[in-house]
């Protein structure tokens, strides 16, 4: 498949770019941070997102969504990355929608997916338990009790967990940490007795939460997918999420590159534009090459996810690792080429650096995905 967008996908990109650039520039994030906004994003803007059909991109048409795929979700995520827009799109419309679409029963889909598509329901995936992404090392226990289960443990870095109306929780119902088998996913109402949610604002001014589950009782109807066999569903959902985060990193890197090149064409030093210095030209050219290679890797991964998400792991690992290292290089070069002003809070480049660092870690950094790729290829 050609590594280019179709006409319809290009129109979606233009539509998303027009809305996001107009309604959520970097100053929008700065304002939310400085005002210590309790929600961390604009609910009014999220309602507009839903009206334009963005919230239901991955929701099947029969449940009120657009029935599109990872390529389209990646297009929106790339535009979000360009302005650092804080939004529940990743948590709700990508991770949660993917989990429900791929693993939900008909009843679960009918109950939750139309609400996600309309923007009425905010949901998120609770999987990580420590500072690093290690999904198979889940220790949170799910013990059979009555006609359901009792959940005990804690989750960290749950994106938008402080505002979620629905938690999709990964727990270990069998086996020991590190095993692929024995994982089960549960749909949990955060208002259930025994659930304690603590908001944790991250360094990039986006939001996450630490959630503690103290003998939380859920019945069998709240199991998402199969008991003890949730590993395959987790793999698919995480890969879809990784493709989306890689897209955000790509948009972030491209935006920083554009801002940096503009600065090189305007800043004068020693009587000439600094963009005339050959050393800076070489560095800018190398960064452009890195971004374009990453663009191809990300689009290839998104296309692979749409073709068969169960077999796209290798392409996704390459894309997430590549996008993370490229974005890191872009923000480092951006800060350095802007000089001392690049380190100040008054200048936007610092926001991009912080967001790149968070996205690099979220759902696995470059080292994690290099290890994943090696294992997939039996090294």
């Amino acid at each position: 498949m050609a590594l280019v967008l179709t006409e319809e996908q290009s129109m979606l990109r233009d539509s998303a770019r027009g809305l996001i650039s107009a309604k959520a520039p970097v100053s929008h994030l700065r304002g939310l941070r400085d005002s210590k906004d309790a929600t961390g994003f604009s609910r009014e803007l999220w309602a507009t997102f839903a009206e334009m059909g963005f919230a239901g991109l991955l929701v099947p048409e029969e449940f009120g969504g657009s029935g599109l795929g990872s390529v389209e979700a990646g297009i929106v995520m790339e535009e979000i990355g360009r302005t650092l827009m804080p939004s529940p799109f990743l948590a709700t419309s990508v991770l949660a929608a993917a989990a429900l679409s791929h693993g939900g029963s008909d009843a679960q889909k009918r109950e939750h997916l139309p609400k996600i598509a309309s923007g009425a329901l905010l949901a998120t995936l609770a999987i990580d338990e420590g500072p690093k992404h290690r999904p198979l090392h889940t220790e949170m226990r799910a013990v059979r009790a009555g006609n359901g289960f009792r959940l005990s443990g804690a989750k960290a870095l749950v994106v938008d967990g402080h505002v979620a109306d629905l938690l999709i929780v990964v727990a270990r119902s069998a086996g020991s940490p590190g095993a692929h088998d024995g994982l089960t996913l549960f749909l949990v109402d955060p208002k259930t007795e025994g659930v304690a949610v603590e908001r944790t604002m991250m360094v990039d001014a986006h939001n996450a939460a630490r959630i503690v589950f103290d003998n939380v009782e859920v019945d069998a109807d709240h199991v998402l997918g199969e008991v003890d066999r949730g590993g395959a569903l987790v793999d698919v959902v995480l890969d879809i999420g990784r493709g989306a985060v890689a897209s955000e990193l790509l948009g972030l890197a491209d935006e920083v590159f554009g801002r940096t090149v503009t600065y090189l064409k305007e800043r004068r030093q020693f009587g000439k534009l600094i963009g005339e210095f050959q050393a800076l030209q070489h560095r800018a050219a190398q960064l452009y090459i890195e971004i374009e290679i990453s663009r191809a890797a990300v689009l290839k991964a998104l296309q692979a996810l749409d073709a068969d998400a169960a077999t796209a792991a290798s392409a996704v690992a390459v894309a997430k690792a590549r996008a993370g290292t490229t974005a890191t290089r872009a923000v480092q070069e951006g800060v350095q080429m802007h000089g001392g002003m690049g380190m100040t809070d008054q200048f936007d480049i610092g926001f991009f650096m912080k967001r790149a660092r968070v996205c690099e870690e979220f759902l696995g950094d470059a080292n994690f995905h290099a290890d994943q790729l090696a294992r997939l290829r039996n090294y």
Side-chain angles (χ1 to χ4, degrees), residues 231-271:
L233 176 58
V234 168
D235 289 342
V236 168
V237 173
L238 289 179
D239 278 341
I240 292 173
R242 289 162 181 156
V245 176
S247 299
E248 181 177 357
L249 284 163
L250 176 63
L252 183 156
D254 202 28
E255 177 66 18
V256 170
F257 174 73
R259 289 173 177 238
T260 302
V261 169
T262 297
Y263 183 74
L264 294 179
K265 294 178 179 179
E266 296 174 348
R267 175 78 167 116
R268 303 188 72 88
Q269 189 71 31
F270 306 114

Side-chain angles (χ1 to χ4, degrees), residues 280-292:
L280 296 184
Q281 291 175 356
H282 288 172
R283 289 167 63 179
Q286 184 61 44
L287 179 55
Y288 173 78
I289 293 170
E290 295 289 333
I291 291 173
E292 290 308 303

